[in-house]
Amino acid sequence: MTNKFPVNRALFDDVMAPNYSPSAVIPVRGQGSRVWDQEDREYIDLAGGIAVNCLGHCHPALTSALKEQGEKIWHLSNVMTNEPALRLAKKLVDATFAEKVFFANSGAEANEAAFKLARRWALEEYSAEKSQIIAFKKGFHGRTFFTVTVGGQEAYSDGFGPKPGNICHAEYNNLDSLKALISDKTCAVVMEPLQGEGGVISPTDEFVKGVRDLCDQHNALLIFDEVQTGAGRTGELFAYMGMDVTPDILTSAKSLGGGFPIAAMLTTTAIASHLKIGTHGSTYGGNALACAVAEATIDTINTPEVLQGVTAKAKLLTDGLNAINTKYDIFAEVRGKGLLIGAELTEKYAGKAKDFLNASMEEGLMILVAGPNVIRLTPSLVIPDTDIAEALARFEKAVAKIAQ
Ligand code: PLP
């Protein structure tokens, strides 16, 4: 395809809404964990489209599912149903606590469905009084007005007029803070089983169990937002599986489609029964093409080779980061679970996470940040070990430049 105009970063400023500030680098193709830009410069990708490209770029299983379904049927309205959606739903139900699935297109939409369902469940099972939603500070649940208000960062939800009501925020990893807010008027407590955007913060076992107990005591639903942690990222198919706690509702997106937009809300039959005909919906939710790709993604991820590989690859990466830290003393802590890794900068480098990201790009390495002080890595779950070694070598060069 030829353009009569240059496609470059300046064009972004001309034609795009200014809510993002992307890099000047324009990647045009990818294979596995490598990406090439318009100038054919090669990068190793430890960002994975923000925890999306869980099988790297153009994985053969996903490409062939896309092509195969693409030549059959792409989309049907929800007046019909379709084979890929039912196959994917059956696989998700068989693999998890859930008995029912609702498909959406993004993490925010899956969460929107979860929050609406929790409110409807409480209204029908109890009373209109039971509508409080409790979430956690620094949590992130999406950008629709309901989900961004449930998210624990006011900076994202302020400035849009009156907010959806009866939402409050407790401190993550602080049961007393939740105890002070929860009551029989709480309909749901929403948490990420590892806060991603908020800085890669794991909950303690005691905290997660305590949240479950408090929900049970007050007949509140426990919603796990697994948009970032789900689909193999932590070394389990879903993070709750490594936690000894089962949520009532779970949301998944990002890695679920391996790079194709799809999301799912999973729950039990009893809770799902409150989403009666016409109560909620989505034109694209359950799109056949998306479900076919997600089915291939789940089939590929939900295997001992891939899930055990996550733990082994996470060790290689964190050992490498710790070794770099021994030399340059840049990290106060390297943390996370599986291939959701956070490295918090020391005081000396506070606020400079973006500088490390930019310096890494110059060395041919894509990484992420989670706030101003944390470098975040969310690579492909099947990144070759040789790419990890090369990525660490490139990262060390970037660190050396900044530490100079
Ligand atoms: N929930 C969590 C935990 C997330 O990390 C994100 C995105 O970063 C979302 C929800 C929102 O997902 P989406 O951007 O697909 O709407």
Side-chain angles (χ1 to χ4, degrees):
M1 210 191 300
T2 49
N3 296 309
K4 297 212 168 65
F5 49 85
V7 177
N8 53 27
R9 180 61 178 77
L11 184 60
F12 181 97
D13 290 336
D14 282 349
V15 299
M16 297 292 284
N19 57 312
Y20 302 118
S21 173
S23 149
V25 171
I26 302 187
V28 291
R29 66 191 168 90
Q31 193 61 56
S33 284
R34 306 256 174 168
V35 167
W36 289 265
D37 71 10
Q38 288 174 322
E39 272 74 53
D40 218 27
R41 207 176 153 226
E42 175 255 329
Y43 300 80
I44 297 180
D45 185 5
L46 298 187
I50 318 191
V52 166
N53 302 312
C54 58
L55 294 170
H57 298 272
C58 300
H59 188 282
L62 307 198
T63 304
S64 91
L66 182 74
K67 284 186 186 155
E68 201 185 305
Q69 189 62 41
E71 284 172 4
K72 283 191 195 160
I73 195 158
W74 290 20
H75 181 75
L76 290 161
S77 76
N78 286 306
V79 171
M80 314 298 291
T81 187
N82 66 76
E83 290 180 1
L86 293 186
R87 282 202 307 265
L88 175 61
K90 173 85 173 105
K91 286 181 180 175
L92 289 170
V93 161
D94 286 350
T96 65
F97 75 95
E99 298 158 325
K100 292 284 191 276
V101 179
F102 169 81
F103 287 121
N105 311 291
S106 66
E109 284 175 70
N111 285 329
E112 183 86 17
F115 305 158
K116 282 178 72 180
L117 173 57
R119 285 261 175 96
R120 184 58 75 110
W121 166 85
L123 178 73
E124 292 178 354
E125 292 281 328
Y126 296 89
S127 72
E129 295 260 274
K130 194 173 174 68
S131 64
Q132 182 199 41
I133 293 177
I134 305 179
F136 293 95
K137 291 183 183 161
K138 292 195 180 166
F140 187 77
H141 302 294
R143 295 285 199 154
T144 64
F145 205 17
F146 195 1
T147 58
V148 81
T149 307
V150 172
Q153 291 197 54
E154 284 176 357
Y156 294 156
S157 56
D158 284 350
F160 299 97
K163 297 180 187 181
N166 215 3
I167 295 164
C168 47
H169 298 94
E171 299 277 345
Y172 201 68
N173 270 332
N174 181 339
L175 274 183
D176 287 338
S177 155
L178 178 59
K179 268 184 209 152
L181 294 173
I182 198 167
S183 75
D184 290 352
K185 293 183 179 168
T186 307
C187 73
V189 177
V190 187
M191 67 180 281
E192 293 164 80
L194 187 168
Q195 285 191 329
E197 302 299 313
V200 189
I201 298 162
S202 293
T204 62
D205 289 351
E206 187 202 359
F207 178 68
V208 184
K209 283 187 196 145
V211 174
R212 176 73 270 182
D213 289 346
L214 284 168
C215 286
D216 292 343
Q217 278 166 36
H218 294 283
N219 296 316
L221 299 179
L222 176 58
I223 303 175
F224 265 20
D225 177 344
E226 293 233 28
V227 167
Q228 191 151 159
T229 55
R233 176 82 23 216
T234 64
E236 312 275 353
L237 183 61
F238 289 101
Y240 85 87
M241 294 170 174
M243 296 186 124
D244 220 11
V245 155
T246 303
D248 301 298
I249 301 180
L250 180 152
T251 54
S252 173
K254 286 191 183 276
S255 287
L256 180 61
F260 203 98
I262 181 167
M265 178 192 69
L266 312 181
T267 188
T268 63
T269 301
I271 298 167
S273 68
H274 294 273
L275 276 192
K276 297 189 184 76
I277 293 171
T279 47
H280 194 55
S282 157
T283 294
Y284 267 120
N287 170 270
L289 207 48
C291 289
V293 177
E295 185 190 357
T297 309
I298 290 293
D299 284 347
T300 311
I301 287 172
N302 198 15
T303 57
E305 303 90 88
V306 172
L307 294 177
Q308 284 162 19
V310 168
T311 311
K313 289 172 193 305
K315 183 164 173 1
L316 275 181
L317 260 173
T318 45
D319 284 354
L321 291 175
N322 284 321
I324 293 170
N325 198 30
T326 309
K327 271 197 193 164
Y328 296 93
D329 198 19
I330 46 168
F331 300 135
E333 188 182 28
V334 177
R335 60 190 181 225
K337 179 132 194 246
L339 287 170
L340 178 44
I341 297 171
E344 179 160 4
L345 297 167
T346 56
E347 279 288 304
K348 183 173 170 198
Y349 296 100
K352 295 218 157 89
K354 203 76 201 282
D355 294 358
F356 285 87
L357 183 150
N358 292 335
S360 298
M361 279 296 269
E362 279 168 24
E363 297 303 328
L365 176 67
M366 295 175 169
I367 62 170
L368 293 170
V369 300
N373 301 326
V374 178
I375 290 166
R376 178 172 39 151
L377 308 179
T378 58
S380 157
L381 309 184
V382 295
I383 181 172
D385 292 354
T386 45
D387 284 4
I388 294 180
E390 177 61 18
L392 286 164
R394 293 182 190 186
F395 185 63
E396 183 166 348
K397 281 192 200 153
V399 169
K401 274 195 189 153
I402 292 181
Q404 246 178 23

